Amino acid sequence: MTQKNLPGLEFTRYTADQARQLRELVDDIYRRSYVEAIASGNLFDTPAEFLNRFDAYTNRSDTGFELVVARIHGKGAGQTWGWPLPPNARWWEGLRLNDSSSDPAAFATEDGRRTFALSEIMVCAEYTGQGVGHALHDELMGGRPEQRATLLVEPDNTRAYERYKSWGWHRVGTLRPSWPDAPDFDVLIRELR
């Protein structure tokens, strides 16, 4: 699909098997998108740890993993990916819901069709502020069959947080993933149907 509002912007979708073949491109887009985070020295944000997570996400082809790469005039400009959460998904481990009257077990019950996990969305620094992130988001999320989607965002990432809210996401709680050196994240949800 090509976006009319940004000349040369095109998207390509990839399965987990195909995504593994694009590891160098995925790494390049990460390095050009998370320049400040990488420079911070936080172990979680190092390219090596990022690629460890990417490898874990793509190591099974039966998860429904989908990668969307944005290119502008053929050059990688951004990427996003996610997958439907399977039964007994580890995604929700450590979830603390805002609403103390909600049942965390019921909220986190997955069947492979209930929740789509938007794991990553990133835009290379030279393309920020041009609508690439929103276009990537809509390309990946458009037509999803799941009931809802979830993503994690660092509470102090105000730029991303504000954008997610404007795209229909809302905060339901917090959690810290089991990845080494992972920070605390806010959990956002968006109803899909």
Side-chain angles (χ1 to χ4, degrees):
M1 176 180 158
T2 302
Q3 291 295 108
K4 295 181 187 310
N5 62 343
L6 189 56
L9 178 61
E10 296 182 334
F11 301 104
T12 310
R13 293 175 174 270
Y14 300 96
T15 65
D17 290 336
Q18 295 166 330
R20 279 192 299 280
Q21 304 305 311
L22 298 172
R23 197 168 188 268
E24 284 184 31
L25 175 63
V26 167
D27 180 44
D28 175 61
I29 292 173
Y30 175 75
R31 288 171 185 265
R32 291 172 37 229
S33 300
Y34 282 84
V35 175
E36 290 178 21
I38 293 167
S40 76
N42 183 326
L43 293 177
F44 184 78
D45 294 321
T46 65
E49 285 304 311
F50 167 77
L51 286 173
N52 284 340
R53 294 188 300 273
F54 175 76
D55 291 342
Y57 301 145
T58 61
N59 73 356
R60 293 181 37 214
S61 57
D62 64 343
T63 62
F65 176 96
E66 187 171 21
L67 164 68
V68 176
V69 173
R71 292 179 177 86
I72 296 179
H73 301 297
K75 181 180 179 184
Q79 60 195 1
T80 186
W81 65 70
W83 58 88
L85 292 178
N88 303 313
R90 293 184 57 205
W91 180 276
W92 300 118
E93 288 179 9
L95 175 66
R96 297 173 304 277
L97 292 172
N98 294 343
D99 181 358
S100 61
S101 66
S102 294
D103 177 9
F107 182 88
T109 298
E110 298 297 342
D111 61 7
R113 297 179 308 277
R114 182 180 187 200
T115 309
F116 181 79
L118 174 56
S119 178
E120 293 286 346
I121 185 168
M122 61 191 77
V123 176
C124 297
E126 65 267 33
Y127 297 112
T128 60
Q130 299 179 46
V132 176
H134 195 182
L136 269 166
H137 172 272
D138 290 352
E139 183 70 18
L140 181 62
M141 301 304 295
R144 294 288 337 159
E146 295 83 10
Q147 297 172 18
R148 64 186 186 176
T150 186
L151 62 79
L152 306 177
V153 63
E154 291 186 56
D156 62 351
N157 186 347
T158 54
R159 182 181 175 126
Y161 213 116
E162 290 305 313
R163 284 196 167 73
Y164 292 138
K165 287 182 1 187
S166 74
W167 300 343
W169 295 84
H170 65 276
R171 183 181 183 276
V172 295
T174 61
L175 68 77
R176 177 178 286 178
S178 60
W179 292 105
D181 302 304
D184 285 318
F185 287 95
D186 280 355
V187 179
L188 306 185
I189 291 288
R190 179 175 181 221
E191 297 302 318
L192 298 178
R193 52 184 171 101

